[in-house]
Structure formats: structure tokens, C-alpha cells
Amino acid sequence: MKKIIIVIVAVLLGYFINLKFVEIAYSLGFTELKNETLLINDQKMKVKCDSYALGFFDKVKLENKFQQCINDSQAQGCVIIDQQAAMKAV
């Protein structure tokens, strides 16, 4: 019985420490960025442009590199069929 109580207390303590750590990290500028675009050409070949970063990063530099991939693919005759973007910061 003692072991079960110790395990429950340890799990709850770990959860609260993790919760506060994530809040502190995000308040200091720690973010997650995910962009993904799927393109297709006239031969039904798919091209995937994506960027992902977790932590402290230069958002403008990542966005430029991602957009360059899309522009290069569109210059080769591809069209966008699906696009997803997400940036998470608390």
C-alpha cells in the first residue's frame, strides 16, 4: 500500500513540475513552428515542402526557406493541393 501511494505522489509531482517547466519555457520564447505544403504536378507526382523547428529559432529565416521551396516547385509547374501551418507558444 505504501508503494502505491509513493508512486501516485511521484506521478503527480512529476506532472506539476513538467507543467510549470513548459509554461516557463514558452514564456522565455521557446516555441514550436510547423509548416507543411503538399504540391502536385501534371504527372501526378507529389512534392512536399515542410519546415519544423522546436526551441529558439529565427522565424523569418525558416519562413523564407519554406517559401523558397514552394516557389521553386510552382516554377516547375506544381500546384498546391494541401497547406498546413501551426505555431504554438503559450
Side-chain angles (χ1 to χ4, degrees):
M1 185 68 176
K2 247 183 181 179
K3 289 181 181 182
I4 294 173
I5 292 173
I6 292 172
V7 169
I8 291 172
V9 169
V11 168
L12 290 175
L13 184 64
Y15 172 75
F16 287 116
I17 289 172
N18 182 49
L19 183 66
K20 292 299 176 186
F21 174 77
V22 170
E23 287 179 15
I24 292 168
Y26 282 137
S27 70
L28 295 174
F30 190 89
T31 56
E32 178 181 14
L33 174 72
K34 181 178 181 182
N35 290 324
E36 186 177 294
T37 299
L38 190 62
L39 300 101
I40 192 166
N41 64 9
D42 56 353
Q43 300 171 347
K44 305 294 184 201
M45 294 176 58
K46 293 181 180 178
V47 177
K48 182 178 175 183
C49 294
D50 62 350
S51 66
Y52 179 80
L54 179 66
F56 305 100
F57 53 86
D58 184 6
K59 183 181 176 192
V60 174
K61 189 175 183 180
L62 282 174
E63 289 288 337
N64 288 341
K65 188 174 180 181
F66 176 70
Q67 190 60 47
Q68 186 63 43
C69 175
I70 294 172
N71 292 342
D72 291 344
S73 298
Q74 287 179 330
Q76 295 173 2
C78 296
V79 293
I80 296 174
I81 59 172
D82 187 26
Q83 192 166 19
Q84 299 173 357
M87 182 169 180
K88 186 194 307 184
V90 176

